[in-house]
Amino acid sequence: MIFGVKLWFLDSYISSTAAGYLPKQVKIVEVGPRDGLQNEKNIVPTQVKISLINMLSETGLPVIEATSFVSPKWVPQMADHTEVLQGIQKFPGVSYPVLTPNLKGFQAAVAAGAKEVSIFGAASELFTKKNINCSIEESLQRFSEVMHAAGAASIPVRGYVSCVLGCPYEGKIAPAKVAEVSKKMYSMGCYEISLGDTIGVGTPGSMKEMLSAVMKEVPVGALAVHCHDTYGQALANTLVALQMGVSVVDSSVAGLGGCPYAQGASGNVATEDLVYMLHGLGIHTVKMAEKILVTGGAGYIGSHCVLELVEAGYIPVVIDNFHNAIRGGDALPESLQRVQEIVGKKILFQELDILDEAALRELFQKHHFSAVMHFAGLKAVGESVQKPLEYYKVNLTGTIRLLETMKAHGVRDIVFSSSATVYGDPAYLPLDENHPVGGCTNPYGKSKYFIEEMIRDLCKAEKDWNAILLRYFNPIGAHESGRIGEDPQGIPNNLMPYVAQVAVGRREYLSVFGDDYKTADGTGVRDYIHVVDLAKGHIAALKKLKENCGCKIYNLGTGCGYSVLQMIKAVEKASGREIKYKITARREGDIAACYADPALAEQELGWKAAFGLDKMCEDLWRWQVQNPTGFSNN
């Protein structure tokens, strides 16, 4: 009878849930091999643990916590941590974090091959003392050592806060205390904070109260819940968390678990029960989040693509050499620091130059990438005419080293940031993908063309490669938040950032290079595309790679051309300010007109530019007003 009442209560609770308040998808973190087994009295054979993890990997779970690098004296069940971590089959796209309570454990984990770790704190002083033999403040000091070492090794860290709804020694825990500890761990650099009802005494009411306090200090996108089922409340408590915006849930296969320092506590919510509830609610479960390497990801287009990758459920790993990026906090470029703030999730970043072959090899050894988005390279038309050797060295040699490293580590999928400059002076307009290429008028365009040819030859010779070459036209605009946008270092080489800097008073006037072209008003005509539309095109391309498509080429543009004078008027409209300009001689390497036929991308990628010129200029102006000197103003 009690069981029937429990099901009736949960069913009633679910039926009262407004669908609009539930996440569309949930990431499940499987903790069975660690949290589930650590309390078992009989030692589970190492091979059994390895087999369990391998079978869990085959289900498509995106995250499986493998083991714990704690002292065998305290948790004998985890004494075989190194053998387990090194013995499992590591599936592409699956993360296998391990628990590391201190620096010694972290170092042992890294030596064993760990690519992600977790640190374990608590909101209870007495539980912290019993569990890791120190105070909360002392535990945070230990964690800072781990965070520093992890940052130096570019290893992501997840944070646990246990006893968030009750403690076996202190009883009820104040939500403010949970929020305080969570905030400190998140501020240290944990990309995600898992809030654990360690002894399973929480109720939907206490879960709501606790989360309300924590969400004031930590973005909900960086929170997870970890509910034990001692009183049969785990699913109900999880549902409350979902209603409040949490989209990451810890669970344990078959409800295994308990805690050596919380006698009487039952196991975690069963993974199979959680999946059953989520699917009943129409919520998709994330499968094997894919890591995507983003080269040059701190730049203008790269940073917007990183944001879209996170929004689409991927894990971007960004490398950049700061050639065209401003340093921010936490060793991140300022652009990516702001992307973190927008999405509420940590961005994995490493300062690295793609010409550094050894560093590239080490990076690929550290991560299992599903695909690469390649933006890194020099990109100014005018500068390339003045410095051709530098452009060929960086763009061509860097790409060769990247492709060789990909091949050596079994990564065969790439999206390449090409350019409409490969078309040269158009023979006809609009430009479609069948237009002849190679008649480039500047070294920048030639470098893009040569890279395209290298990739096409590679895909032709080795049939397991898939590549999508995206020929951009002219990206402009910014994220609608005004937090990230185009911030060229020094004098802008592109039209729109220069126009915006004149509008904001940073530049005196704009030089219009030529008014004697065969266009409506004599000035050059280009196809301008909103950078967010462009970024979404990359996500569509990434999905296309899954079809084993071979080598494909697509234009990303709007199909509409605007002259320089028309763009000046559009910015004047968005800003309400006059743009001063002077007509000067033509610039070497420029052409009269260039605009796309984007029909193929719509047909095969399902992608089409959504934003018009007014939206492009409005977002560009919002970015410029909020950041008059770019990223360096904060």
Side-chain angles (χ1 to χ4, degrees), residues 429-613:
L429 291 172
L431 291 164
D432 59 28
E433 290 82 356
N434 293 319
H435 186 285
V437 293
C440 308
T441 57
N442 55 76
Y444 164 70
K446 291 176 183 177
S447 74
K448 290 292 188 181
Y449 168 66
F450 295 151
I451 293 170
E452 282 195 4
E453 289 297 289
M454 286 193 299
I455 294 175
R456 292 175 72 174
D457 288 342
L458 178 60
C459 291
K460 184 177 180 180
E462 302 182 22
K463 302 301 183 183
D464 56 344
W465 279 82
N466 299 293
I468 293 186
L469 315 178
L470 297 178
R471 292 173 178 166
Y472 306 165
F473 281 68
N474 295 76
I476 64 172
H479 188 263
E480 62 182 0
S481 66
R483 295 289 289 152
I484 58 172
E486 187 170 11
D487 181 26
Q489 303 304 296
I491 299 174
N493 287 297
N494 296 328
L495 172 66
M496 293 307 283
Y498 204 112
V499 172
Q501 289 185 13
V502 172
V504 83
R506 192 172 166 186
R507 307 284 172 190
E508 185 180 354
Y509 64 88
L510 170 73
S511 293
V512 178
F513 298 114
D515 64 349
D516 58 347
Y517 289 105
K518 292 181 180 180
T519 62
D521 60 22
T523 62
V525 170
R526 298 291 183 270
D527 186 337
Y528 295 92
I529 177 175
H530 198 296
V531 66
V532 173
D533 276 332
L534 187 66
K536 291 181 184 296
H538 285 75
I539 305 303
L542 201 57
K543 293 176 180 177
K544 181 71 175 178
L545 291 172
K546 293 297 182 184
E547 301 177 11
N548 293 320
C549 59
C551 187
K552 293 283 189 176
I553 300 170
Y554 299 102
N555 288 336
L556 293 187
T558 64
C560 184
Y562 294 97
S563 73
V564 174
L565 295 184
Q566 286 175 316
M567 297 305 293
I568 291 172
K569 291 178 181 178
V571 176
E572 286 181 334
K573 177 182 176 182
S575 66
R577 299 185 182 185
E578 178 187 1
I579 308 297
K580 294 181 180 181
Y581 66 90
K582 294 181 180 180
I583 304 296
T584 63
R586 291 188 183 189
R587 183 174 59 180
E588 186 178 358
D590 280 345
I591 59 178
C594 182
Y595 53 93
D597 177 355
L600 187 63
E602 182 176 5
Q603 177 185 336
E604 296 191 6
L605 299 182
W607 172 91
K608 185 177 181 180
F611 300 131
L613 183 58

Side-chain angles (χ1 to χ4, degrees), residues 195-450:
L195 302 167
D197 181 14
T198 309
I199 57 175
V201 296
T203 64
S206 60
M207 173 65 79
K208 182 177 180 181
E209 182 184 15
M210 181 273 296
L211 277 177
S212 296
V214 175
M215 287 165 57
K216 293 176 182 178
E217 305 294 346
V218 180
V220 68
L223 294 177
V225 290
H226 181 114
C227 300
H228 287 251
D229 204 29
T230 309
Y231 289 93
Q233 299 289 293
L235 284 177
N237 292 342
T238 299
L239 182 58
V240 169
L242 298 178
Q243 286 179 298
M244 296 181 72
V246 174
S247 60
V248 182
V249 180
D250 297 358
S251 63
S252 178
V253 60
L256 291 170
C259 177
Y261 304 100
Q263 297 302 319
S266 70
N268 215 310
V269 62
T271 303
E272 55 272 27
D273 290 348
L274 175 63
V275 170
Y276 183 77
M277 182 183 79
L278 293 174
H279 288 180
L281 290 167
I283 299 173
H284 296 288
T285 48
V286 179
K287 292 186 177 181
M288 294 193 297
E290 298 178 48
K291 280 186 178 179
I292 309 298
L293 174 61
V294 185
T295 72
Y300 173 46
I301 299 171
S303 60
H304 284 81
C305 284
V306 168
L307 191 153
E308 293 298 330
L309 281 167
V310 175
E311 296 286 3
Y314 296 96
I315 302 174
V317 178
V318 184
I319 60 173
D320 200 288
N321 67 353
F322 287 96
H323 177 80
N324 197 35
I326 295 293
R327 294 183 186 275
D330 296 331
L332 283 174
E334 180 65 24
S335 59
L336 298 184
Q337 184 77 34
R338 296 188 185 190
V339 169
Q340 279 192 167
E341 295 169 5
I342 294 169
V343 300
K345 295 181 179 179
K346 296 291 182 183
I347 302 299
L348 302 180
F349 172 77
Q350 182 171 335
E351 183 176 352
L352 191 152
D353 193 311
I354 59 168
L355 291 172
D356 188 339
E357 193 172 0
L360 273 177
R361 284 199 305 269
E362 185 178 335
L363 179 77
F364 274 76
Q365 289 166 1
K366 186 181 298 181
H367 299 281
H368 297 281
F369 296 118
S370 297
V372 174
M373 281 190 181
H374 182 30
F375 299 97
L378 302 177
K379 65 180 185 64
V381 170
E383 183 184 60
S384 75
V385 175
Q386 299 165 359
K387 303 176 180 180
L389 286 181
E390 186 174 349
Y391 270 67
Y392 292 136
K393 177 183 177 181
V394 172
N395 294 2
L396 299 184
T397 306
T399 301
I400 290 171
R401 288 180 179 167
L402 175 65
L403 293 172
E404 288 176 339
T405 307
M406 289 175 63
K407 180 177 178 178
H409 291 84
V411 182
R412 298 290 193 272
D413 291 346
I414 185 169
V415 177
F416 173 58
S417 161
S418 191
S419 168
T421 58
V422 300
Y423 292 119
D425 205 343
Y428 59 84
L429 291 172
L431 291 164
D432 59 28
E433 290 82 356
N434 293 319
H435 186 285
V437 293
C440 308
T441 57
N442 55 76
Y444 164 70
K446 291 176 183 177
S447 74
K448 290 292 188 181
Y449 168 66
F450 295 151

Side-chain angles (χ1 to χ4, degrees), residues 30 32-33 51-61 64 253 271:
E30 172 60 56
S51 297
L52 172 63
I53 295 171
N54 289 343
M55 287 188 288
L56 289 170
S57 295
E58 291 174 355
T59 69
L61 284 160
I64 303 169
V253 60
T271 303

Side-chain angles (χ1 to χ4, degrees), residues 501 504 506 623-630 633:
Q501 289 185 13
V504 83
R506 192 172 166 186
W623 153 256
Q624 192 66 69
V625 169
Q626 292 184 20
N627 306 270
T629 58
N633 68 323

Side-chain angles (χ1 to χ4, degrees), residues 175-195:
K177 187 64 177 179
V178 181
E180 176 190 344
V181 176
S182 300
K183 179 182 179 181
K184 288 181 178 179
M185 292 179 71
Y186 183 70
S187 298
M188 283 180 175
C190 292
Y191 74 89
E192 192 169 87
I193 303 297
S194 177
L195 302 167

